[in-house]
Amino acid sequence: MSSLEGISGDMVWPSAAERAKYTIGWIAPMAIELTPALALLDRITTLHVANDSNIYKAGRIGDHHVVIVTLDRIGLSAIPSVAAGMYASFRNLKHMLLVGLGGGIPDYALGEQMVLGDVVVSRKVEHLDCGRRTPNGFEFSHQTYEPSRALLKAVNTLWSTHLSQGTQIPRILQGIRQKLHPTIRENREDLGPDADQLFDSDYHHKDNAKSCKNCCDPKRSRSRQERGPKAHREKDSPLIHYGTIGSANSLMVGSEEREKFYNEFGTICFEMEAAVLMEYRCLVVRGISDYSDSHKNKEWQPYAAATAAAYAHELIMTLPAPVNGVDYDRYQTPSMDNEESSTSQARDPADTTGLHRLNLKTGHVHWTVYRSRNSLFTGRDDILRNLEATVRDVVKGSPSPGQCTIVISGMGGQGKSEICLQLAYRVRQSFWGVFWVDVSTTSSAKNDFVDIAKKLGIETKSMEEARQGLANAKESWLLVLDNADDPDVDYQSYFPAGLLGVTMLTTRNRDCHRYASTPELAVELEGLPESDARGLLLQATNMAREQWGTFQDDAQEVATLLQSHPLALIQAGA
């Protein structure tokens, strides 16, 4: 019997147009975390997408269409394929939330007390598993990530609302319980102070086969009352904590290690999935079910999962509603020199999805680039000028021994995809079609090629037929093959034939340079020049430009430390 009474949901295979209305993605790692999330949706639909093994649950929260997925296992390794599938299937996702359970640090800062059932919201995420093996053993390092600015603004807005008007979490928790099957409602109740015992940091759990009640000395623990007034909570009134969340591929089960990471990084919560999801600038919300020590407490997990979901619901209600359900920043209509084209395709008055922007035609131009340019993009001027000259020569029919293929390589965060975006927007008007294909997985590549075929009026579910359809086009086209990072894949198989196209491939693998038409068209990105690196860092801080001169030396020091890595500079500035 379903744990959600009467809302198990219909099962559908939505089209790309139907999937475009979903702007918020939500990952609930385990079933215990998925259950309260589903109880918050107005109506649940089960969604399946071709060539995507994820099973999605979707519905509405306020004005927002939300799609939720769970994992097949816990840990960092479970996230990449699920997230990649989600973003490939739902191209209009604007915000990503990771909502579930975590272990907390019981006291921090100036006597702040965290109790079981409280909620921690990420201001930053520290990847605690980073490092390298050296002759002297494993050398530990760390990496810091932040949620998107839009999500952090929503967090601050809701925080202010809580301070002035209080939280809606008690009411939301009641609503969750009402939707649950009667047999499990009790599991989502606040267990109260008597069930929350904090053991001394030097006292470890005695028998992993037994609960603390049956093997640990209660005299070595403190109750909430003994911890002082800051540990007091009214029923269903968890405190929201804001700070750094530590993410690793193994459970934090030691109070000594917990304190070490807090003292070093200010980490107040520990979990096992966030680090590899942060490339999507997600917000992490964790309900506290234990104190990240050896005294693991599964009794609190159902309630802690519900408090985290309740906060996420309240946060989503704080976010601005998308226009007609579509994030127009994501599906941005390109323009040339900031001028609107007089021949843009007219919008069908009956089209309320905004998807006319995906099929934009200006003259003979198709555009399937599902990303907008980064406003912070800095430098790389010589590279862009040379590439622009090359592709314009192809359009003009300059002599060439074969199809023009450009390869851009470099480590993650150097701006490979961004260069392709910048170039695509610059030369768009010169091409009959500009197309973007994510080749990080076979399924994402197939989905994108089939989408291209549909826009060309070709009905097929075969990637080969779709690729051949593009090859048969008698007009010039630009194709970007993004994320060609797998050294075991022959990406040549993705190249359409013909002499009228330009193919650009981005990769972290330098061996892919062999695909370039000439050695000059194999571009390897490294750190930015000093002046560009300083400018990018200062621009990312949102500091007024007239103040930049005061901080040039500081900016140079940071840029040098970060080896002028563009993504690292943006994150440092933010």
Side-chain angles (χ1 to χ4, degrees):
M1 183 177 292
S2 171
S3 63
L4 293 165
E5 191 174 34
I7 54 170
S8 58
D10 303 324
M11 185 179 298
V12 298
W13 293 75
S15 66
E18 292 167 330
R19 298 196 302 271
K21 66 185 178 183
Y22 293 98
T23 57
I24 296 178
W26 179 323
I27 294 181
M30 299 187 296
I32 199 170
E33 297 153 316
L34 178 64
T35 301
L38 299 186
L40 294 169
L41 299 179
D42 286 344
R43 184 178 184 277
I44 297 175
T45 303
T46 301
L47 305 182
H48 293 274
V49 180
N51 302 309
D52 184 349
S53 62
N54 292 335
I55 300 173
Y56 299 101
K57 299 290 186 177
R60 289 178 68 106
I61 293 179
D63 294 325
H64 299 274
H65 287 85
V66 181
V67 59
I68 304 177
V69 70
T70 191
L71 307 178
D72 60 350
R73 63 192 183 279
I74 61 174
L76 298 178
S77 62
I79 287 287
S81 61
V82 171
M86 196 177 204
Y87 269 86
S89 297
F90 299 89
R91 296 183 177 275
N92 201 29
L93 291 182
K94 184 176 184 181
H95 307 294
M96 177 64 78
L97 305 179
L98 176 62
V99 185
L101 299 171
I105 187 163
D107 51 84
Y108 66 98
L110 299 176
E112 293 298 325
Q113 296 291 310
M114 189 181 300
V115 306
L116 301 184
D118 279 357
V119 175
V120 176
V121 179
S122 65
R123 304 290 294 183
K124 295 181 180 179
V125 169
E126 288 282 350
H127 188 181
L128 302 177
D129 278 340
C130 294
R132 61 178 179 173
R133 297 198 178 278
T134 70
N136 298 321
F138 188 79
E139 184 179 290
F140 173 80
S141 64
H142 71 102
Q143 196 160 0
T144 306
Y145 305 92
E146 291 186 357
S148 68
R149 291 184 179 180
L151 285 171
L152 287 176
K153 288 176 184 176
V155 167
N156 286 337
T157 300
L158 182 56
W159 190 356
S160 175
T161 300
H162 286 171
L163 292 174
S164 60
Q165 302 174 28
T167 176
Q168 297 296 313
I169 286 180
R171 179 187 60 78
I172 298 170
L173 288 171
Q174 289 180 2
I176 290 175
R177 294 186 192 110
Q178 289 172 2
K179 284 195 174 182
L180 296 178
H181 192 274
T183 59
I184 69 165
R185 283 178 189 165
E186 187 176 344
N187 291 341
R188 301 285 169 169
E189 293 286 349
D190 187 343
L191 300 182
D194 293 341
D196 185 355
Q197 296 294 314
L198 173 61
F199 285 89
D200 296 340
S201 59
D202 61 350
Y203 180 75
H204 302 292
H205 192 72
K206 297 304 180 183
D207 187 343
N208 289 335
K210 298 179 181 180
S211 67
C212 290
K213 291 180 182 178
N214 297 321
C215 71
C216 294
D217 184 358
K219 294 180 181 179
R220 299 297 306 273
S221 70
R222 289 180 294 154
S223 67
R224 289 187 188 177
Q225 184 176 2
E226 291 171 317
R227 293 169 62 184
K230 287 190 175 182
H232 174 74
R233 302 287 185 273
E234 297 292 336
K235 180 179 173 63
D236 279 347
S237 298
L239 190 65
I240 313 301
H241 305 263
Y242 306 89
T244 300
I245 292 180
S247 184
N249 208 32
S250 57
L251 284 171
M252 182 70 63
V253 293
S255 52
E256 296 90 347
E257 196 172 18
R258 175 193 73 196
E259 299 299 327
K260 169 194 168 186
F261 282 118
Y262 170 68
N263 291 330
E264 194 164 350
F265 304 121
T267 309
I268 63 172
C269 174
F270 301 89
E271 56 88 77
M272 296 176 59
E273 286 88 22
V276 292
L277 192 61
M278 291 308 296
E279 71 172 278
Y280 302 104
R281 308 293 299 277
C282 78
L283 184 75
V284 186
V285 181
R286 293 291 183 176
I288 301 304
S289 59
D290 61 64
Y291 290 117
S292 294
D293 56 14
S294 60
H295 303 277
K296 291 299 174 186
N297 195 334
K298 291 189 176 182
E299 293 179 355
W300 278 90
Q301 287 184 355
Y303 180 70
T307 60
Y311 175 86
H313 179 280
E314 200 171 9
L315 181 82
I316 290 172
M317 296 294 287
T318 304
L319 290 166
V323 180
N324 290 330
V326 174
D327 168 20
Y328 289 118
D329 289 336
R330 183 76 177 254
Y331 287 129
Q332 181 178 348
T333 303
S335 59
M336 191 68 173
D337 298 329
N338 297 320
E339 294 180 5
E340 289 292 330
S341 171
S342 61
T343 57
S344 294
Q345 182 180 12
R347 175 176 178 174
D348 180 353
D351 176 10
T352 60
T353 67
L355 287 173
H356 65 289
R357 293 177 178 248
L358 305 184
N359 278 328
L360 180 72
K361 289 185 179 182
T362 305
H364 296 288
V365 174
H366 294 281
W367 178 266
T368 66
V369 179
Y370 301 108
R371 300 173 59 173
S372 55
R373 290 169 289 184
N374 190 332
S375 60
L376 295 177
F377 181 80
T378 302
R380 312 294 194 196
D381 295 328
D382 290 343
I383 293 174
L384 278 169
R385 272 196 299 269
N386 292 336
L387 294 179
E388 183 175 356
T390 297
V391 299
R392 290 193 186 279
D393 284 345
V394 172
V395 175
K396 293 175 183 176
S398 296
S400 172
Q403 183 191 115
C404 177
T405 303
I406 299 165
V407 176
I408 302 179
S409 68
M411 65 185 295
Q414 287 286 5
K416 303 181 294 293
S417 301
E418 191 62 35
I419 282 181
C420 293
L421 279 170
Q422 296 289 333
L423 183 64
Y425 277 87
R426 288 189 184 192
V427 302
R428 169 198 177 273
Q429 298 286 1
S430 299
F431 284 92
W432 166 79
V434 179
F435 308 101
W436 195 284
V437 175
D438 178 5
V439 296
S440 58
T441 65
T442 302
S443 62
S444 64
K446 179 179 178 181
N447 289 340
D448 286 350
F449 270 115
V450 170
D451 275 353
I452 291 171
K454 288 180 180 178
K455 289 172 175 56
L456 301 183
I458 303 170
E459 289 299 326
T460 181
K461 293 185 178 180
S462 162
M463 179 167 64
E464 175 58 30
E465 291 180 4
R467 188 174 64 86
Q468 189 59 44
L470 185 56
N472 291 338
K474 300 186 183 301
E475 302 285 350
S476 59
W477 45 262
L478 171 65
L479 172 66
V480 178
L481 302 177
D482 197 21
N483 301 316
D485 301 325
D486 190 336
D488 297 325
V489 173
D490 179 10
Y491 291 103
Q492 185 76 45
S493 62
Y494 292 127
F495 294 1
L499 303 180
L500 296 176
V502 175
T503 300
M504 299 184 69
L505 182 138
T506 73
T507 180
R508 299 185 185 191
N509 181 11
R510 198 176 187 279
D511 289 344
C512 287
H513 283 194
R514 68 182 185 274
Y515 299 127
S517 300
T518 66
E520 293 75 23
L521 295 182
V523 180
E524 185 170 13
L525 298 184
E526 296 178 346
L528 293 169
E530 287 187 358
S531 60
D532 289 338
R534 291 195 305 271
L536 177 59
L537 176 64
L538 293 168
Q539 189 179 356
T541 65
N542 276 336
M543 183 189 305
R545 188 173 290 269
E546 55 266 23
Q547 296 180 292
W548 286 15
T550 307
F551 296 96
Q552 287 292 322
D553 291 342
D554 294 331
Q556 183 60 57
E557 184 177 351
V558 173
T560 301
L561 182 65
L562 297 177
Q563 299 180 329
S564 298
H565 186 280
L567 181 58
L569 291 167
I570 290 173
Q571 292 176 339

